[in-house]
Amino acid sequence: MALINAETGKTYKVKEINTRDEEMNSFLFRLGCYAGEPITLISKKKKSCIVAIKDGRYNLDELLSEAIQVC
Amino acid sequence: MRIAFAGNPNSGKTTMYNALTGRSEKVGNWGGVTVGSKEFKIKDEYTGGRDVSAVDLPGAYSMSPFTPEEGITSEYVRTTNPDVIVNIVDATNLSRSLFFTTQLLELGIPVVVALNKSDINEKEGTSIDVDKLSAKLGCNVFETTSTEGKGLSDVISKAISLSGSSQKPPFVQADIDLKDKAAVDAEDRKRYVFVNEIVAAVESRRTLSSETRGTDKLDAVLTNPISGILLFAAVMWFVFWTSQTWLGPMVADLIVGWIEQFQEWTAGLLENSPPILSALLADGIVGGVGAVVGFLPLVMVMYFLIALLEDCGYMARVSAVMDPIFKRVGLSGKSLIPVVIGTGCGIPAIMACRTIRDERERRATSMLATFIPCGAKIPVIALFAGAFFSGAGWVSTLSYFFGLLLIFLGALLIKYITGYRYRKSFFIIELPKWKVPSQKFAFNSMLERAKEYIIKAATIILICNTAVQVMQSFDWHFNVVEEGAESSSILATIASPFAILLIPLGFGVWQLAAAAITGFIAKENVVGTLAVVYGLTAFIDVEELELTGGANNVAMAMGLTSVTALAYLFFNLYTPPCFAAIGAMNSEMKSRAWLWGAIGLQLGTGYSVAFLIYQFGTLFTEGHLGRAFIPGLIAVGCMAVAVIVIGRKTRAHFDDMYELHRRDGKENAAA
C-alpha cells in the first residue's frame, strides 16, 4: 500500500518507490529509503506525513508519500 | 596546505570551521545553511603555526548532487584536490552518513573522520566503538563536539600529519559502466549493505530512532496546517513586536541621547568655523549617520531573536507547514527559509535559494524573497512608525505581513507569466533534532551583524550623507545655496525629474525622491538622507514625540499626511532592495531575462502599492482621490499591459515547445 495509507507508529518495509523522477528516486536512496529497507510512519496529516528513515526524521508531502509503496 | 570539510547537511561543518578559524559564518539547525564554499586560515593553536587553511563546503548526502549547493561540494572535492578531507559525520545518524564517507575514502585523498555531535549520543545512550569503526573504514576516527570545541585539535593534528599519504578504501566501486543505470544502482546497493554491516557492528542504541519521542508530538502540532501556521504567525509577530516596538526602542532611546550629546559637542567645537563646515560635519555627517545608528538596537534585538529561531530547529518545521501553501502559488516549502533569512539581509536570503531544486521555483524565490523587509529597512519603518503613527507597533507588523502577501501575489504573477503547468514538485525536508538555542551563539551572531551595520554606517552611509549634504549646499556653479532658494541646489535639480514620476503616489517633492534614490545604494540611506535634507535628527526620540503630541516636528517638516507617509514607506520597502542585492540576484538567476523581470516586478510592485495606498487612502480619509490620479492610473495600466504581453509571449513559446514534442511524437509514431 502507499505510505500515506499506512498506520501511524508502525514500521514497514519499503516495497517499491516510483516517483517517475530518477533523481528523486536516487536522492531517496541516498537517505536510505529504498526497496527492502525499513521505514516508520511517525505521524500523518491530510497533505503530508513525518517518517523515520534510518536515524533521521523527514517531512514528506502528499506526492512523495503516495509514490512510496510499503508492506 | 588545504583541509576540506565535507559531510552530510547539518552535521556541524560550519560550526567546526568557525571554531577552528575564529570566523563567524552563518550556522543554523537545518540542512542547507551553507550554500557556498569558504576558505580561511586555521588558528595557530591548532596547527602549531603552520600555514593550513580550512575549506567549508555545503552539506551533501553523496558525491552525486541533487540540489545546486550539493554540486558545489562534489565538484570541489573532485577538481581542486584538497590535501586532506575531514569528513564530518553526524554521530546520531551514522547509518546514513557512512555512505558518503565510503565514497570520500575512494578518492585517493587522505580522510580523517570527525564523529561529531558525540555529546548528543552520550545523552541518548548511543555508543559507537570508535576503534572498531576506524579499523573497518581504514582511516582515523575521532569523537568531536564542535559546539564546545572538543576533539578538534586531535582531528587537525592528525589531518596535517596525513598530508601526502593515502589510504586503502574499505569499499571500492566495481569497474562498471557509469552510464549503465542498473549497474550503478546495484553497486550503490552493495555500498549500503557494506555500510549497514559496519553500523551493526560498531553502534549500540538504547532507544531506536523509529520509536516515538516526546518531540514528535511537538512536531505534529507545528506541522499541522492550522496550528502550525497560526504558531508561525505568532512567533514572527513576537519577534517584530519585541525588536521594533518594545525592547528595541527602549534601548534605542538611550543611544539617541548619546548621539545628540555628541552632535552638540561637535557643533560646539565648530562654533568658530565657517557655517558651511559646521553644517556639513554636525548636521550632515554626525546627524545623518547618527540617525541611522540610532536604530541599531532595533536591528540587534531582531537579529538576536532570529538567531535563536535558526538555532533551535524550528525552520525546517515551518518549511514543512508552509509547503502546501507555497506550492499552490508555484513556490516550494523551501522558499520559506530565504524569506526568514531575508528579515536579516536580502543577500544571504537570495543565496539561500540554492537549496531549492527546481530552477523556476528557485528563480522565483530569489526574485520575491526581498519583499520581506530586511534589517536595513528597519530604520525606515521605525522612522515612519514613530513620526507619523506615534510609534504604533502595527506599522512594522503590517510591513512584514504585507511583504509576505506580496510574495504570494508575486508568485502567482510569475506563475501566470511563465505559464507554469502542473508539474510534480516533490517536497522532502529533514526535521533535525530540537536543541536548546545557544544564547552565546545568538549573542555573537547579533554582535557580528551589529559590527557590519556600524561599518556600513561609517562607510557607505557616511559617504552618501556627505555627498547629499554637499549636493544640497551648493548649486551647479558651486555657490552656496541661499536660504529660500533650496530648489536651485545640485541635489534638487537632479532629484526633481524623478519627483514628477512620484506625484501620483502623493510624494512628488525632490527631497523625498532624493531619499528614495539614495535608498537603492543602501536602504538605511533613506533615513540618513531625510535627516540631512530636512535638517532633522533623533527620529525615534519617543519622549520628544510625546511632548509635541502626534503632530511632531518630523512629520511637520516632511509635510506628509499619514496616508502619504504610509505610501512612501511602502514604496521604499517594496521597490528593489539595493544594488548589492540586485547583484546577488544576478549571480543566482544566471539569466538576463529573469534579472530584468525581477527588477521590473519589484519597481512595478512598489509603484503600484504606493499608488493604490495614496489614492484610495486619500479617498477614504478626505473623500476625494489624490493628485494626478489619471497619469498614475495610466502608468500602472501600462505595467499591467506589459505583464500581459510578456506573459503571452513566454506562454506562446511554451506552447510551441509542447507542440514540438507532440509533433516529434507523431513523426516517431509514423516512422
Side-chain angles (χ1 to χ4, degrees):
Chain A
M1 77 188 129
L3 180 64
I4 193 92
N5 300 321
E7 216 174 295
T8 311
K10 262 176 101 172
T11 301
Y12 296 85
K13 252 197 171 93
V14 176
K15 203 168 109 196
E16 194 195 356
I17 292 177
N18 197 359
T19 59
R20 296 186 185 183
D21 174 344
E22 276 313 323
E23 279 181 41
M24 193 68 224
N25 286 350
S26 62
F27 181 71
L28 288 171
F29 174 86
R30 275 171 267 146
L31 300 179
C33 179
Y34 56 95
E37 286 293 301
I39 185 168
T40 310
L41 190 64
I42 301 290
S43 68
K44 66 176 172 184
K45 268 137 274 169
K46 232 199 265 165
K47 295 228 159 185
S48 68
C49 64
I50 298 175
V51 294
I53 301 167
K54 292 197 173 275
D55 298 312
R57 290 269 196 284
Y58 303 87
N59 185 288
L60 310 181
D61 66 354
E62 204 182 3
L63 276 172
L64 260 184
S65 45
E66 277 165 1
I68 299 173
Q69 296 289 322
V70 296
C71 59
Chain B
M1 179 183 160
R2 258 209 210 111
I3 302 178
F5 287 26
N8 281 182
N10 206 28
S11 56
K13 294 172 293 301
T14 305
T15 310
M16 189 176 288
Y17 172 86
N18 283 346
L20 289 170
T21 60
R23 304 286 292 169
S24 36
E25 297 298 346
K26 188 173 181 60
V27 289
N29 188 13
W30 76 88
V33 182
T34 308
V35 290
S37 68
K38 290 184 185 88
E39 184 168 348
F40 202 79
K41 192 180 174 301
I42 299 180
K43 287 188 207 160
D44 286 345
E45 57 185 279
Y46 293 107
T47 61
R50 255 174 294 185
D51 188 27
V52 182
S53 54
V55 181
D56 187 27
L57 295 168
Y61 290 110
S62 80
M63 287 298 285
S64 20
F66 181 65
T67 48
E69 102 275 13
E70 259 191 295
I72 294 175
T73 302
S74 53
E75 198 189 312
Y76 185 92
V77 173
R78 276 204 186 99
T79 57
T80 39
N81 280 323
D83 296 287
V84 184
I85 295 173
V86 170
N87 172 218
I88 288 113
V89 165
D90 179 350
T92 64
N93 202 339
L94 191 66
S95 50
R96 184 192 67 206
S97 312
L98 290 184
F99 186 85
F100 188 36
T101 307
T102 57
Q103 286 185 326
L104 291 173
L105 284 165
E106 273 189 71
L107 295 169
I109 300 168
V111 175
V112 177
V113 170
L115 216 48
N116 205 22
K117 303 194 187 177
S118 303
D119 55 329
I120 301 179
N121 264 0
E122 221 166 279
K123 258 182 243 152
E124 291 180 351
T126 304
S127 69
I128 296 170
D129 187 334
V130 176
D131 295 332
K132 214 178 198 177
L133 179 63
S134 170
K136 295 229 175 226
L137 291 175
C139 74
N140 289 281
V141 180
F142 296 97
E143 285 190 306
T144 59
T145 308
S146 308
T147 47
E148 293 161 22
K150 265 189 209 155
L152 302 192
S153 49
D154 293 338
V155 172
I156 294 305
S157 53
K158 191 76 213 169
I160 293 173
S161 73
L162 283 180
S163 171
S165 69
S166 163
Q167 72 259 319
K168 193 176 162 290
F171 180 92
V172 184
Q173 186 166 291
D175 204 7
I176 50 162
D177 178 9
L178 292 173
K179 277 173 265 152
D180 181 358
K181 209 193 151 292
V184 173
D185 280 357
E187 274 305 298
D188 277 351
R189 270 165 186 278
K190 272 192 216 153
R191 188 186 295 275
Y192 240 137
V193 169
F194 175 77
V195 166
N196 289 343
E197 279 167 6
I198 298 184
V199 174
V202 303
E203 186 188 69
S204 73
R205 284 182 170 264
R206 196 169 62 202
T207 46
L208 290 175
S209 299
S210 54
E211 286 168 40
T212 316
R213 302 189 284 248
T215 53
D216 286 327
K217 285 212 183 83
L218 178 64
D219 285 347
V221 174
L222 289 179
T223 54
N224 177 291
I226 297 163
S227 58
I229 289 172
L230 286 177
L231 279 167
F232 175 58
V235 166
M236 290 321 280
W237 175 82
F238 177 78
V239 170
F240 302 142
W241 177 78
T242 310
S243 59
Q244 289 162 48
T245 311
W246 174 54
L247 190 60
M250 223 149 73
V251 189
D253 274 354
L254 281 174
I255 295 194
V256 169
W258 298 338
I259 294 170
E260 276 179 347
Q261 280 175 10
F262 183 65
Q263 195 180 4
E264 277 165 30
W265 178 73
T266 37
L269 285 184
L270 295 164
E271 220 169 336
N272 298 323
S273 42
I276 178 75
L277 186 68
S278 116
L280 182 68
L281 285 178
D283 296 338
I285 298 180
V286 182
V289 174
V292 175
V293 173
F295 292 102
L296 179 62
L298 281 67
V299 181
M300 282 171 75
V301 173
M302 170 97 163
Y303 282 157
F304 182 79
L305 295 173
I306 296 283
L308 290 182
L309 275 187
E310 291 176 342
D311 196 30
C312 68
Y314 185 47
M315 299 284 272
R317 276 83 185 175
V318 191
S319 282
V321 77
M322 294 299 271
D323 179 62
I325 306 176
F326 272 124
K327 221 176 242 166
R328 201 165 286 179
V329 296
L331 299 174
S332 138
K334 295 218 171 155
S335 306
L336 189 272
I337 287 172
V339 170
V340 175
I341 293 178
T343 57
C345 176
I347 296 162
I350 290 164
M351 285 166 66
C353 297
R354 277 181 212 170
T355 58
I356 300 168
R357 185 183 163 219
D358 178 66
E359 190 176 54
R360 205 198 60 87
E361 290 173 356
R362 185 166 65 241
R363 284 173 168 169
T365 308
S366 65
M367 174 166 181
L368 298 166
T370 52
F371 277 136
I372 213 79
C374 67
K377 289 172 183 166
I378 290 178
V380 189
I381 298 172
L383 160 65
F384 281 84
F388 295 93
F389 303 96
S390 45
W394 62 263
V395 179
S396 89
T397 310
L398 177 72
S399 303
Y400 287 96
F401 285 96
F402 194 69
L404 205 57
L405 178 73
L406 287 180
I407 291 176
F408 285 121
L409 296 178
L412 283 174
L413 195 68
I414 296 171
K415 192 172 154 183
Y416 165 78
I417 291 177
T418 55
Y420 170 84
R421 293 285 163 89
Y422 179 79
R423 187 187 58 81
K424 278 191 177 182
S425 174
F426 298 107
F427 177 77
I428 175 167
I429 194 165
E430 182 170 4
L431 301 178
K433 285 206 169 89
W434 286 95
K435 77 184 251 254
V436 180
S438 149
Q439 289 183 34
K440 189 182 140 223
F441 156 72
F443 189 74
N444 286 341
S445 144
M446 174 184 83
L447 286 187
E448 190 62 27
R449 305 277 200 100
K451 197 175 94 191
E452 282 166 20
Y453 188 93
I454 292 172
I455 291 174
K456 199 171 166 195
T459 52
I460 302 173
I461 312 290
L462 178 73
I463 292 169
C464 289
N465 272 333
T466 315
V468 166
Q469 179 74 24
V470 169
M471 282 160 72
Q472 186 192 226
S473 308
F474 294 97
D475 63 18
W476 288 97
H477 305 289
F478 294 101
N479 297 318
V480 176
V481 171
E482 302 285 325
E483 216 168 303
E486 281 87 1
S487 57
S488 66
S489 72
I490 299 177
L491 187 69
T493 44
I494 293 177
S496 293
F498 293 100
I500 295 169
L501 296 174
L502 303 179
I503 292 173
L505 315 184
F507 41 81
V509 290
W510 66 265
Q511 289 94 334
L512 294 172
I517 295 167
T518 56
F520 292 123
I521 300 169
K523 275 292 158 196
E524 297 95 331
N525 267 335
V526 174
V527 172
T529 305
L530 287 178
V532 173
V533 293
Y534 288 118
L536 300 162
T537 43
F539 280 140
I540 44 161
D541 198 336
V542 179
E543 278 166 47
E544 194 185 324
L545 294 188
E546 275 167 3
L547 281 176
T548 49
N552 54 74
N553 51 2
V554 177
M556 291 276 281
M558 284 163 60
L560 296 176
T561 64
S562 330
V563 169
T564 44
L566 194 67
Y568 185 66
L569 170 64
F570 279 14
F571 178 78
N572 280 302
L573 293 185
Y574 308 125
T575 44
C578 59
F579 291 129
I582 293 175
M585 270 195 292
N586 181 35
S587 55
E588 292 306 313
M589 286 177 170
K590 298 186 179 78
S591 152
R592 283 285 132 141
W594 274 85
L595 179 70
W596 286 111
I599 296 171
L601 176 81
Q602 291 167 351
L603 275 174
T605 306
Y607 197 89
S608 310
V609 165
F611 174 73
L612 294 175
I613 289 181
Y614 168 60
Q615 297 293 345
F616 290 102
T618 312
L619 185 66
F620 187 70
T621 52
E622 292 172 24
H624 60 86
L625 286 166
R627 291 176 62 199
F629 175 72
I630 301 297
L633 195 66
I634 294 172
V636 173
C638 288
M639 292 176 204
V641 170
V643 166
I644 294 169
V645 169
I646 298 171
R648 281 252 169 93
K649 249 187 179 168
T650 40
R651 273 172 298 139
H653 181 61
F654 198 81
D655 287 339
D656 279 350
M657 258 167 39
Y658 264 67
E659 206 145 36
L660 209 67
H661 282 289
R662 248 181 278 143
R663 245 179 257 150
D664 278 356
K666 272 180 206 157
E667 275 165 25
N668 285 345

